[in-house]
Amino acid sequence: MPIHSSPTGWVLETRNTAYAIGINEVGLLTHRYWGARLPFVDDYPEPFKSTNFASTDGFHHFVPEEYPGYAGTKYIDPCLKVTFADKVRDVVLVYEDFKVTASSSPTLDLRLKDSFYPLHVTLHYRIHEEYDLIERWVTLENLGDEPILVERVFSAKLTLPPGADYSLTHMYGSWSNEFQMQREPLTPGLKVIESRRLISSHRATPWFTIDRNASEENGEVWFGTLAWSGNHKITAEVTEFASTRISIGLNDWDFAWKLMPKQPFVTPAAISGYTQNGFGAASRIFHDYVRDEIIPHGKVLHKILYNSWEATLFSVDEASQSKLAEIAAQMGVELFVMDDGWFHGRNWDNAGLGDWWPDEIKFPNGLTRLTQNVNALGMDFGLWVEPEMVNPDSDLYRAHPDWVIHFPTRARTESRNQLILNMARTDVQEYILGVLDELLADHNIAFIKWDMNRGVSEPGWADAPGDQRELWVRYVQGVYHVWGTLRERHPNVIWQSCASGGGRADFGILQFADQIWTSDNTEATSRLRIQEGYSQFLPANTMEAWVTDWGKETVPLEFRFHVSMCGSLGVGGNLLEWDQADRESAANCISLYKDIRQVIQFGDQFRLISSQKNNFSAMQYLSKDKVEGVLFVFRTHIPERFNIPTIYLRGLEPDALYTVEGFDQPRSGKAWMEAGLTVELKNLQSKVLRISHT
Ligand code: GLA
């Protein structure tokens, strides 16, 4: 059992790491250790002592409390802040008892309660031993008779070993420029990464790493993410006593929750880990965990899809889509997806959202004939929807103007001419569930792209049963409820999460969606950088990547294919304009991808040379048994006569012989890893080289 309890507290062990907590001499639940697993349970440090420390500010800046409530002289960033019914705003948590539940992922529950008020707080720790991960979440319970107003409730506080010489890496971005990495030293004070947009957002990914001089392959990395698709917050605090701590959880900005008697509140889970093998290992741990434990169809190889969006925009009809489908099928595509524009009144982005039945003019025969045409070509059929949205110009909005998120006294700010349906409302949930269920029941639909194309404004909910500010959480719970119910009713459908590209890419949504639409930016050279950021925490099989016409004047079709082959390959160009040579080249790339996709989608991924930092980059995938691999090499732009970097392969069996396509001589795994290889390319050339165990 990887959970040890003793008079000094608890030690949670995974295969290679450990996390220890204890109760100190004044009864405070404190952090003890987070790092490499030590030989003996007694090796772990004692809890930090409060009485060792004298300061006018109290001991909280020095002693790392495991889950601090805001109280007393605690000027640090706390995890919990509440107002009790008598207006007291001070939570004094005392340890009550613990429970260990044995299973393949055992859990430790630590129960705390307020020293005076009937508030119970349970800290949950689930150990994912094989993945070196610990999942943490918190349950609040009100055992009294009066409501308690919760103003902040994080999922976890994570304390780094004493010291202040850490760097934080996080990802920022914008529409069409997601997953840009930023690494910076942590200095005294508070750094905040957050979303206030109702979705996890393009701006700030709910993910972080902390390191001390780590590289891609070496060094200590502490990392984590929040499994939540709404407003999140990660803070990194360095106190004046060189104590470095991370908080992670629901964003408390504009948040409040009226905690009613006997109605527990459960936070989303924070999942964190530690490795001594650099950023690459941290990513691979998350990749395995997402594939094996989170996504619904983690073992299913993704089909190569065609999506008509960039070809036809809103001008879809049976004839145009059938023609595209014919060409796609000839090239080897396996799934044809019709994007926006197919439903009632949808000729541009200013009308139709909400009215989810086939447009009578574009599809006089409904969708059945098109799905049959696609199926007759040997492909599955998929469809785009944006269920959370409504255009004011729609039958739905005319019937239910009160269903949108709004403040009654304010104008309703439109974005992309649309408003957001309040998914926290049960009537809205039932409507969406009803129409999508019917659509899936009536048609042979194998794939749905679920889009969400705007951030929130005027976040009002006038007739909310509790506090209006519960919207931030109840909305996301509503989306999960509808999506989860649809999944149960239609278990074979593959879902894709899209929010104007990668605006909702997180472990929360991946419980429902198998894939993410990575970015609306399909220009291959920018896409390389976006994809590298994405790979920091999500695996290649979840990363949908289309080859389009964007940049075709300068970037060769083969290069565009190679970039998209680094994830789950799709095609999105206007095939009507592709000549015979393009179609043949596409068919060849598709056929190659079919041969190597098992390794790409389920293997280990190694970022050999970063595309965010270099104009010559390399990415390697290797099967779990280390027998088969693929190397992608891209040269975007480096001046002629400059040296081409040496590429060092990774992960191979050192003593086994491997061949790399294009090199005559087999060499040991160690030689490919230590002596490396070079691949000559001109600007905007790329190569895919297969690696095999001889
Ligand atoms: C968003 C998506 C695109 C496309 C359009 C359709 O922008 O990210 O891929 O589906 O909506 O309106």
Side-chain angles (χ1 to χ4, degrees):
M1 167 69 82
I3 300 176
H4 308 273
S5 53
S6 73
T8 40
W10 302 267
V11 175
L12 316 179
E13 288 183 329
T14 67
R15 209 155 36 124
N16 302 298
T17 77
Y19 186 95
I21 322 147
I23 297 172
N24 77 1
E25 81 293 358
V26 301
L28 195 74
L29 184 69
T30 76
H31 173 80
R32 288 166 55 196
Y33 180 86
W34 186 21
R37 182 173 169 164
L38 304 178
F40 307 109
V41 173
D42 292 338
D43 282 343
Y44 298 100
E46 299 281 305
F48 285 74
K49 286 200 170 20
S50 299
T51 42
N52 276 358
F53 189 72
S55 156
T56 48
D57 283 351
F59 53 76
H60 299 287
H61 288 218
F62 180 75
V63 178
E65 188 176 351
E66 180 68 1
Y67 193 78
Y70 173 65
T73 55
K74 237 178 263 180
Y75 308 117
I76 52 149
D77 201 36
C79 284
L80 181 64
K81 187 170 183 313
V82 308
T83 300
F84 293 106
D86 60 4
K87 305 296 175 218
V88 167
R89 310 185 312 282
D90 188 87
V91 203
V92 178
L93 295 178
V94 289
Y95 169 71
E96 201 178 26
D97 58 18
F98 79 98
K99 188 170 108 192
V100 172
T101 310
S103 82
S104 56
S105 307
T107 51
L108 167 69
D109 295 337
L110 296 179
R111 297 213 313 151
L112 313 173
K113 64 175 185 190
D114 186 84
S115 61
F116 181 83
Y117 294 94
L119 173 65
H120 281 231
V121 178
T122 307
L123 312 184
H124 308 273
Y125 300 77
R126 181 176 289 139
I127 321 300
H128 299 284
E129 199 177 353
E130 284 309 301
Y131 301 94
D132 284 329
L133 293 173
I134 299 180
E135 183 182 351
R136 289 177 57 181
W137 72 102
V138 171
T139 301
L140 301 182
E141 282 167 286
N142 177 354
L143 301 187
D145 303 322
E146 293 173 297
I148 299 170
L149 194 71
V150 181
E151 289 149 17
R152 166 185 288 194
V153 53
F154 286 157
S155 302
K157 172 80 78 186
L158 297 158
T159 301
L160 281 302
D165 49 349
Y166 291 102
S167 294
L168 165 75
T169 306
H170 59 100
M171 286 191 275
Y172 69 96
S174 57
W175 173 73
S176 258
N177 192 36
E178 298 86 340
F179 311 116
Q180 302 301 311
M181 295 178 62
Q182 171 72 30
R183 181 164 178 262
E184 61 204 28
L186 278 179
T187 51
L190 195 70
K191 167 88 186 180
V192 178
I193 316 287
E194 62 168 356
S195 164
R196 299 181 176 191
R197 290 164 189 258
L198 194 62
I199 50 176
S200 33
S201 92
H202 306 77
R203 313 265 146 191
T205 304
W207 168 88
F208 71 89
T209 71
I210 302 283
D211 75 285
R212 272 200 288 217
N213 295 323
S215 65
E216 187 65 20
E217 298 301 325
N218 295 298
E220 290 186 291
V221 179
W222 293 260
F223 58 97
T225 190
L226 187 73
W228 185 245
S229 312
N231 287 4
H232 57 84
K233 187 172 193 176
I234 296 173
T235 72
E237 182 170 33
V238 182
T239 76
E240 54 276 45
F241 302 105
S243 177
T244 302
R245 307 166 195 183
I246 307 293
S247 296
I248 179 163
L250 294 170
N251 198 345
D252 57 333
W253 178 83
D254 195 42
F255 164 81
W257 190 276
K258 205 164 164 190
L259 188 68
M260 304 302 284
K262 321 277 177 310
Q263 289 180 19
F265 180 82
V266 182
T267 71
I271 299 135
S272 57
Y274 164 82
T275 175
Q276 295 188 328
N277 302 318
F279 300 110
S283 299
R284 286 186 290 277
I285 289 172
F286 267 166
H287 293 175
D288 287 343
Y289 179 69
V290 168
R291 278 188 296 233
D292 298 349
E293 305 292 330
I294 299 195
I295 51 177
H297 295 101
K299 303 268 179 286
V300 172
L301 208 53
H302 284 306
K303 295 193 168 166
I304 297 161
L305 67 74
Y306 176 77
N307 179 297
S308 61
W309 171 243
E310 291 194 24
T312 43
L313 291 177
F314 300 94
S315 305
V316 295
D317 59 25
E318 200 176 291
S320 72
Q321 298 301 293
S322 300
K323 183 71 208 149
L324 285 167
E326 258 171 55
I327 307 170
Q330 284 158 12
M331 290 177 0
V333 167
E334 301 157 311
L335 163 66
F336 181 86
V337 182
M338 177 161 64
D339 209 280
D340 200 349
W342 60 269
F343 47 95
H344 179 68
R346 185 69 165 173
N347 296 316
W348 198 246
D349 66 13
N350 57 351
L353 288 171
D355 298 347
W356 297 109
W357 58 90
D359 185 74
E360 296 77 357
I361 298 167
K362 294 176 184 176
F363 292 96
N365 309 309
L367 297 183
T368 307
R369 200 171 300 165
L370 176 61
T371 44
Q372 284 168 349
N373 290 349
V374 167
N375 293 156
L377 290 163
M379 295 186 293
D380 286 343
F381 180 78
L383 201 59
W384 176 96
V385 292
E386 196 180 358
E388 298 150 78
M389 295 294 154
V390 67
N391 287 117
D393 185 0
S394 66
D395 288 0
L396 181 67
Y397 187 74
R398 284 182 280 274
H400 298 287
D402 52 326
W403 276 8
V404 298
I405 294 177
H406 71 286
F407 290 125
T409 56
R410 299 286 179 201
R412 302 168 183 203
T413 304
E414 292 176 23
S415 171
R416 212 192 189 213
N417 300 307
Q418 60 200 54
L419 298 167
I420 306 180
L421 290 171
N422 185 349
M423 293 293 286
R425 295 174 62 121
T426 44
D427 45 7
V428 171
Q429 292 168 15
E430 275 156 27
Y431 172 77
I432 307 283
L433 200 50
V435 284
L436 292 186
D437 192 27
E438 202 178 310
L439 201 59
L440 286 165
D442 291 353
H443 301 91
N444 190 17
I445 294 175
F447 177 98
I448 293 270
K449 174 176 170 187
W450 179 314
D451 208 341
M452 196 296 186
N453 274 319
R454 63 158 292 186
V456 73
S457 60
E458 298 91 29
W461 178 12
D463 46 1
D467 190 296
Q468 280 208 32
R469 291 166 293 178
E470 292 173 17
L471 173 81
W472 300 110
V473 171
R474 291 196 188 271
Y475 180 95
V476 179
Q477 289 173 337
V479 172
Y480 287 173
H481 166 68
V482 171
W483 208 326
T485 310
L486 289 166
R487 283 214 66 92
E488 275 165 28
R489 294 189 193 164
H490 306 277
N492 296 326
V493 173
I494 299 282
W495 300 77
Q496 184 178 83
S497 163
C498 173
S500 304
R504 195 153 59 183
D506 54 74
F507 282 32
I509 214 69
L510 284 170
Q511 297 167 84
F512 308 98
D514 285 280
Q515 289 196 321
I516 308 275
W517 174 229
T518 321
S519 178
D520 277 350
N521 187 341
T522 55
E523 192 283 317
T525 61
S526 8
R527 191 62 179 233
L528 271 177
R529 294 194 286 275
I530 293 170
Q531 293 186 174
E532 180 181 319
Y534 185 97
S535 78
Q536 296 298 323
F537 77 130
L538 296 176
N541 66 330
T542 65
M543 187 181 78
E544 176 67 31
W546 313 337
V547 178
T548 71
D549 301 325
W550 192 346
K552 67 175 180 184
E553 299 75 18
T554 46
V555 186
L557 184 61
E558 200 178 54
F559 188 109
R560 286 180 270 144
F561 259 99
H562 292 168
V563 172
S564 295
M565 285 158 75
C566 288
S568 181
L569 175 66
V571 179
N574 188 353
L575 301 183
L576 299 172
E577 290 176 1
W578 288 23
D579 62 22
Q580 198 48 33
D582 288 342
R583 292 182 196 176
E584 273 167 27
S585 171
N588 290 338
C589 288
I590 287 173
S591 151
L592 170 62
Y593 183 74
K594 285 179 182 167
D595 282 352
I596 57 179
R597 67 177 149 185
Q598 179 81 25
V599 177
I600 294 165
Q601 295 189 17
F602 299 129
D604 283 330
Q605 185 172 0
F606 298 86
R607 295 177 292 257
L608 304 184
I609 303 179
S610 161
S611 55
Q612 287 204 1
K613 294 189 199 136
N614 302 284
N615 289 324
F616 186 105
S617 61
M619 188 71 89
Q620 180 199 328
Y621 301 80
L622 186 67
S623 61
K624 290 281 177 190
D625 60 8
K626 299 175 184 287
V627 165
E628 248 192 295
V630 189
L631 171 65
F632 287 90
V633 191
F634 302 97
R635 174 170 167 162
T636 48
H637 180 85
I638 42 179
E640 294 304 330
R641 295 205 296 275
F642 270 53
N643 283 344
I644 301 265
T646 301
I647 297 167
Y648 301 95
L649 300 186
R650 290 284 167 242
L652 307 177
E653 285 294 356
D655 298 327
L657 271 185
Y658 288 90
T659 51
V660 176
E661 204 176 340
F663 294 81
D664 298 336
Q665 226 12 61
R667 294 161 83 198
S668 67
K670 194 157 187 174
W672 293 117
M673 294 192 289
E674 301 301 328
L677 56 98
T678 51
V679 177
E680 290 295 332
L681 294 176
K682 300 226 173 299
N683 283 337
L684 291 175
Q685 274 188 346
S686 57
K687 268 202 177 133
V688 188
L689 304 176
R690 298 177 70 163
I691 302 165
S692 38
H693 202 301
T694 57

